[in-house]
Amino acid sequence: MIEITVNGAPRQVDVEADTPLLWVLRDTLGLTGTKYGCGVAQCGACTVLVDGAAMRSCQVPVDSVAGQRITTIESVEADPVGAKLVAAWVALDVPQCGYCQSGQLMAATALLKETPKPSEADIAVAMTNLCRCGTYNMIAAGIRQAADAA
C-alpha cells in the first residue's frame, strides 16, 4: 500500500510502486478529469499539481509523490487562484473540444500561484501544454484575465 494525498484527502492505494500517477488517479481513484494524451509527458493533458508544481502525471511513479500534496482538476476551484482561472475560462469561452483544458488549467494555476502577475514571456514559458484546437491565444487571455482579477 502506498499513501498519497489527493485533493486534501489521504488515500491508500494498492498498486505497484512504479505505476504512473495518471493511472492511479484515473483507474484506482476514479478521478477521470486528468486526461491521458501522449503517455510520454509531452502534451500536458495529464498535468496535475504536486506540492503546487505542475507535473505531467503520465511519467510520475506514484511512489515518488508519497507524502506530497497532489491536486487534480476536480478540486482546482477550491483554490482561489484556480477558481479565478475557471471563471475566466468560462467567461471567455476558452475551450473548443476541451480535452486538454484540465491540463491547461492546472498549468495555469501553477503559473499564477508562482507569478501572480505574469508577463507575456512568463505565460509563454509556463504554458507548454499542447492544444490540438489551437486555443493558445484564448488560454493566454484567460490567464491575463484571472491575473487582473487578483
Side-chain angles (χ1 to χ4, degrees), residues 39 42 58 76 114 122:
Q42 295 298 308
C58 70
V76 76
E114 184 174 315
D122 293 330

Side-chain angles (χ1 to χ4, degrees), residues 6-63:
V6 180
N7 299 330
R11 306 291 296 264
Q12 289 196 347
V13 292
D14 188 12
V15 297
E16 295 294 323
D18 63 349
T19 303
L21 176 59
L22 171 64
W23 301 121
V24 173
L25 294 171
R26 289 184 61 79
D27 295 346
T28 305
L29 300 178
L31 298 171
T32 58
T34 303
K35 304 299 184 199
Y36 172 80
C38 65
V40 294
Q42 295 298 308
C43 73
C46 66
T47 302
V48 298
L49 303 183
V50 177
D51 282 345
M55 288 199 172
R56 299 196 171 164
S57 63
C58 70
Q59 292 293 305
V60 174
V62 68
D63 70 334

Side-chain angles (χ1 to χ4, degrees), residues 69-140:
R69 295 177 337 270
I70 301 159
T71 306
T72 69
I73 193 67
E74 285 86 357
S75 75
V76 76
E77 285 186 277
D79 181 289
V81 171
K84 287 177 183 155
L85 281 160
V86 170
W89 251 239
V90 172
L92 296 174
D93 201 20
V94 170
Q96 284 186 27
C97 84
Y99 194 82
C100 72
Q101 293 303 307
S102 61
Q104 300 282 3
L105 278 163
M106 298 310 290
T109 300
L111 168 62
L112 290 187
K113 288 179 86 55
E114 184 174 315
T115 309
K117 299 290 185 186
S119 67
E120 293 302 313
D122 293 330
I123 293 171
V125 167
M127 299 304 296
T128 60
N129 293 22
L130 300 178
C131 174
R132 293 187 71 181
C133 300
T135 63
Y136 301 111
N137 291 336
M138 293 307 295
I139 290 166

